[in-house]
Amino acid sequence: RMESHQVAQQIQARQYPCFCVLLPASLDEVRAIGKIEGEVQVDAAISLLAACFEEMESHRAEIVARSAQHVEDRHLREQQDREYQEALEMDRKRQEQLREQEREAQEAQRLQEEQERLAREEVEREEAAKRAVDDERRVQAHALGT
């Protein structure tokens, strides 16, 4: 709470009575937006109040516009943050999908290699069996020939 002497110093009152319209600038500071010092006439006071009212309306309009701009900026930031998070989520899903496709491709490759190995082993077994039959026939033919 400011004392009258402090206010008088802050508004730089030079003469009394001092009719002043004050606008709080902060908790510890006030701003004089209109002042009449010395003998105060009713018409001058009304005219001062009207002028101050217009200035305060202008000031209020600026504050409202600034506040609206802050709200709009905040909404824009929130929207951008949401879009960024959605993009990150899409990237994460895309990476997961790529990893899954890679795992599936590796599994398919492994199965293909396993099938090829089994096919080679089957061919080798058949060839070994055929050789064994051929060897047996040779042994029998040789036994018959001697």
Side-chain angles (χ1 to χ4, degrees):
R1 182 173 163 204
M2 299 179 81
E3 295 297 325
S4 57
H5 178 68
Q6 290 174 309
V7 173
Q9 285 181 331
Q10 198 168 18
I11 64 171
Q12 300 173 349
R14 293 181 189 81
Q15 199 175 15
Y16 295 95
C18 180
F19 182 75
C20 213
V21 179
L22 302 177
L23 182 65
S26 68
L27 289 175
D28 300 337
E29 188 178 342
V30 292
R31 190 180 93 186
I33 58 172
K35 178 168 49 170
I36 300 174
E37 295 179 309
E39 189 176 330
V40 178
Q41 301 296 321
V42 174
D43 290 341
I46 291 172
S47 146
L48 173 70
L49 289 173
C52 290
F53 180 77
E54 288 177 14
E55 184 176 339
M56 288 172 64
E57 278 301 307
S58 171
H59 180 69
R60 188 187 68 74
E62 288 174 16
I63 290 172
V64 168
R66 201 174 312 131
S67 177
Q69 184 65 46
H70 287 308
V71 168
E72 185 179 327
D73 291 347
R74 186 180 74 243
H75 287 311
L76 180 61
R77 276 192 308 277
E78 288 171 355
Q79 179 184 358
Q80 289 172 337
D81 288 346
R82 273 193 309 275
E83 290 172 356
Y84 177 72
Q85 291 302 324
E86 289 170 0
L88 285 178
E89 181 64 17
M90 287 174 50
D91 287 347
R92 185 195 63 75
K93 285 180 180 178
R94 194 174 312 119
Q95 288 298 323
E96 181 61 31
Q97 189 176 33
L98 289 174
R99 283 192 293 273
E100 183 62 29
Q101 289 173 348
E102 187 176 312
R103 280 192 294 270
E104 289 172 359
Q106 288 174 348
E107 181 63 17
Q109 177 70 25
R110 187 191 67 74
L111 288 174
Q112 176 72 25
E113 290 172 357
E114 179 70 15
Q115 288 175 348
E116 289 173 0
R117 183 187 63 78
L118 290 173
R120 276 193 312 272
E121 288 176 358
E122 181 64 27
V123 167
E124 288 173 3
R125 275 194 300 277
E126 289 174 0
E127 288 175 355
K130 186 178 177 185
R131 276 194 307 272
V133 168
D134 287 347
D135 288 346
E136 180 63 30
R137 284 185 185 157
R138 265 193 231 105
V139 167
Q140 287 175 358
H142 183 57
L144 288 176
T146 49

